[in-house]
Structure formats: C-alpha cells, structure tokens
Amino acid sequence: TYRLRLNPSSDHEPENYEDLQLDFSPLIFSSLERYLPPYLLPQPRDVKVNYMREILRRYYPESERIRVHKHREYRRKILSNYQRLHRELYSIQAETFFVPSFLRAMSDNSEQGFRDIMSEPWPGIFTFEMLQPRFCEMMMAEVDNFQRWVRETKFRIMKPNTLNKYGSVLDDFGLETMLDKVVEDYIRPISKIFFPDVAGATLDAHHGFALEYGSERDVDLGFHVDDSEVTLNVCLGKQFSGGELFFRGVRCEKHVNTEIQSDEIYDYQQIPGHAVLHRGRHRHGARATTAGNRINMLLWCRSSVFRELRKYQRDFSGWCSQCQREKKERQHQSVAATKMELLRRSSETGS
C-alpha cells in the first residue's frame, strides 16, 4: 500500500530532483519526501522516486496524465516560436522585482517580521506592498507582447480559467520556472506561518496567470472559489476605477454554496504593486472595472500533500467557517442535552 504519513519528518532534509526527467514537478517530489514512511527516508533517491510516483499516478489518473502530456506539447510549440520581450523577467532578480520592505521581511523570516509589513483587514486576508513599479510595467508589457504574438500568428491559446475570457497563462510562455521560485522562496514561508491549516508549508505547485479587465476586456468576475490552497493576487496596474475584490467567507466543497453570514463580508480596493494573500477556498469575486484598464497577476499555489491527505478527512472545521459553526452547534446541543439529563436525574433523586 502506497501511503504517506499524516505528519512530516520535520528534521529530514529532502533531496533535489530537478536533474531528473519526471512526469511531475521536481518540487512536488521534494515536498512529498518528508511525508514518506520512516524506513524509506534513507533509501536511494530512485527508490523514493518510484514510491512517490505511484502515489502521484493514483492521484493523477491516466486521462489526467494524457492531458498533461498534451499540455506539455502545447507549451513546447509556444516556447519554440514566441520571442520574449523582457528576458530579465524569466529568472528571479529579487532587488529588481520586490520592494525593499518586502525583502527585509523575507530576510527576517518571522511572523513578526511579516506582520510588520502586512495588514490583516479581515481574518485570513493579508495585504502588503510587494512589487516594484518597474516589474509591474515589464510584466504588463510582456503580457501585451504575448497577446500581440497570439493575434498575429492566430495561435489558439488556453484561457487562464473557466470564468475569464481575457488573460494569459504566464506559465505557458516561459515564466513557470521564475514563478516556481516565487512560490518556493517567498509565498511558502509566509503561508507556513499564516495558513498551516491548508498545508501552507508544503506548497509545491502553482498555476500562474494574468487577467485583464476594462474596455473590450472582462468587466467583472463572479462569485467563486479558486483551485488552490493559497492564492496570491497582485494588481499590476494600469489606471482604473472600480474593480474592488469582495470576500464572503471560507468554505469547504460541501458548504461552498451555503448562506453568507454578516461577519463574513469584506471588500478590498486594489492598489498597483500591492498583493492580497488568502486561502483559495475563501469565496470571492471582483466588482466591475468602471473606467480604464486593470491587469492582475495571480498565483494559485497548491500542495500535493494537502490534496492527498484531504481524501481521508471528513472534518474541515480547522478552516471552513460553516464546518466550524456546525461543530459549535453540535457541541452546544450536546452540552444542553447533558444539562437536561443531569436536571432530570436530580429531580428523580429529589422526589
């Protein structure tokens, strides 16, 4: 039986798998390794790879693996033809990409250091200044350059998600490696502290894309949840009015359509260069962009470990607000029933 441990071996240093030709991201194997049974940890790397591959193959059925193969071919065609505009975007250059306050907090790598640069205007929603204006300008220009190439070549591209008609998957035209490093070096350390209930410490994959709103683009975005454990949403620009994000409570799959509670309503006004970090299951949407144009960069950050372990879970009260309410109600009813039983026994004894 190929099974992972429930709790990771925190003192184990996983191996690097980037030099191997694998069906899945090397980061996934490094992340899963800490969850292997203890007897496997000292085994040769190929033994561990085979064990983890069997788990991943169970998680990804044959139809999904075929889809992944076709997507790999699709990307290869783009990468062999698309001419990059800003080559410096395709590898991490921290001093150029991020504002100094964000880099200082990452260097400190502590909860207090992160809280010094962050606001938490609503439980589980963190906002902070993250990107340099120059990076935002280059990324918007790169997205525009890619879209121009698509129009000129009439190349049919995949949409970022099922809700947006306009936008680009950043991973598909070469930015995947850079964004992998953003997740590994910057988002995962923050999520480890603030989102442990959705395995923030084990984020090992992502879906990166840019969305475009405004004139002749998407106007708004309907109420939904993301296919992620943690979502990073950064407004790149440009000049715009409207486009506020609205949040309406965290839900598991069972409760995703349940009623909104009055204490779950929060709206956020977007600012270029500023990021919003939240659980992917935090229900949200975007109001209409009423003037100008707005471009956002999003990273749906995922954990293979969390998704594997979630198969065996039934209680999500650690992060689902509705599960928490139902659990408290059950506890309240249990206490009330116990009191009634004690009163009944007391009355019988007295009589």
Side-chain angles (χ1 to χ4, degrees):
T1 301
Y2 293 90
R3 292 286 295 271
L4 298 174
R5 301 171 61 195
L6 183 60
N7 298 308
S9 176
S10 56
D11 58 347
H12 175 72
E13 187 64 30
E15 298 195 51
N16 188 307
Y17 296 88
E18 293 184 1
D19 61 315
L20 301 179
Q21 295 296 320
L22 301 167
D23 295 337
F24 309 96
S25 167
L27 287 176
I28 293 178
F29 287 88
S30 295
S31 180
L32 284 179
E33 187 177 325
R34 286 195 174 96
Y35 288 82
L36 291 176
Y39 75 89
L40 274 177
L41 295 179
Q43 294 296 317
R45 189 173 63 163
D46 61 332
V47 174
K48 291 183 283 190
V49 163
N50 290 334
Y51 190 94
M52 290 186 282
R53 185 184 284 124
E54 287 303 317
I55 291 176
L56 290 168
R57 283 176 176 169
R58 183 177 61 187
Y59 178 70
Y60 290 103
E62 183 178 0
S63 60
E64 177 65 12
R65 295 200 298 274
I66 292 173
R67 188 198 67 79
V68 169
H69 176 73
K70 289 182 178 179
H71 195 183
R72 187 179 293 119
E73 287 298 304
Y74 161 81
R75 282 189 179 179
R76 185 188 60 78
K77 291 179 181 179
I78 294 177
L79 295 176
S80 61
N81 291 281
Y82 172 63
Q83 298 297 314
R84 299 172 179 179
L85 179 64
H86 292 294
R87 293 187 176 277
E88 58 267 45
L89 280 177
Y90 291 79
S91 60
I92 282 288
Q93 300 184 41
E95 300 295 331
T96 304
F97 289 5
F98 305 114
V99 297
S101 59
F102 180 74
L103 291 176
R104 286 195 297 270
M106 296 308 306
S107 178
D108 184 58
N109 194 26
S110 68
E111 179 175 351
Q112 187 56 52
F114 294 143
R115 289 195 180 277
D116 286 344
I117 66 163
M118 290 179 169
S119 297
E120 190 179 6
W122 209 256
I125 300 174
F126 298 90
T127 67
F128 50 97
E129 187 179 9
M130 182 180 183
L131 298 178
Q132 295 270 19
R134 174 60 178 156
F135 174 88
C136 295
E137 292 169 3
M138 288 194 298
M139 183 60 76
M140 288 190 291
E142 192 71 39
V143 170
D144 184 63
N145 186 62
F146 177 66
Q147 288 288 352
R148 186 182 303 112
W149 174 79
V150 169
R151 290 192 299 271
E152 291 174 352
T153 60
K154 295 181 172 56
F155 191 91
R156 293 188 62 181
I157 61 171
M158 297 180 182
K159 301 303 180 185
N161 54 55
T162 58
L163 296 176
N164 291 89
K165 295 181 180 179
Y166 297 92
S168 306
V169 179
L170 303 176
D171 300 319
D172 286 347
F173 60 91
L175 287 164
E176 182 181 27
T177 301
M178 184 273 283
L179 295 175
D180 266 340
K181 295 297 290 182
V182 171
V183 174
E184 182 179 4
D185 295 344
Y186 301 97
I187 306 308
R188 191 161 65 188
I190 297 174
S191 300
K192 177 181 180 180
I193 292 175
F194 296 114
F195 301 115
D197 47 8
V198 291
T202 65
L203 300 178
D204 54 18
H206 77 269
H207 174 51
F209 54 98
L211 299 178
E212 303 174 64
Y213 294 89
S215 176
E216 299 181 357
R217 291 291 184 267
D218 288 314
V219 176
D220 56 15
L221 183 61
F223 193 50
H224 67 285
V225 294
D226 297 336
D227 182 14
S228 69
E229 276 59 77
V230 176
T231 292
L232 175 76
N233 185 346
V234 191
C235 180
L236 300 177
K238 309 173 182 176
Q239 297 295 321
F240 62 91
S241 299
E244 299 88 352
L245 297 177
F246 60 90
F247 293 88
R248 299 295 185 264
V250 184
R251 294 290 192 277
C252 66
E253 188 171 347
K254 176 183 175 182
H255 295 123
V256 68
N257 294 316
T258 53
E259 185 179 354
I260 299 169
Q261 304 297 315
S262 59
D263 61 353
E264 295 179 322
I265 299 174
Y266 173 68
D267 290 7
Y268 170 75
Q269 178 63 55
Q270 303 196 63
I271 304 171
H274 287 239
V276 181
L277 194 69
H278 60 86
R279 291 175 183 83
R281 301 295 305 188
H282 203 140
R283 302 183 299 181
H284 62 284
R287 302 194 187 283
T289 298
T290 54
N293 292 284
R294 175 170 62 84
I295 299 180
N296 281 54
M297 182 180 78
L298 289 97
L299 285 178
W300 286 356
C301 306
R302 297 161 175 164
S303 166
S304 302
V305 169
F306 181 78
R307 295 182 177 217
E308 174 68 16
L309 296 179
R310 193 172 60 185
K311 297 177 182 178
Y312 314 110
Q313 288 183 295
R314 295 294 180 267
D315 179 17
F316 301 105
S317 58
W319 51 271
C320 172
S321 300
Q322 188 63 30
C323 284
Q324 291 171 2
R325 277 186 284 272
E326 292 181 359
K327 184 176 183 178
K328 288 180 181 178
E329 180 60 26
R330 289 193 299 270
Q331 291 172 340
H332 175 76
Q333 291 175 355
S334 176
V335 170
T338 301
K339 286 182 178 179
M340 289 295 294
E341 178 65 17
L342 290 173
L343 287 172
R344 185 186 66 78
R345 292 180 181 181
S346 176
S347 176
E348 291 177 352
T349 303
S351 62

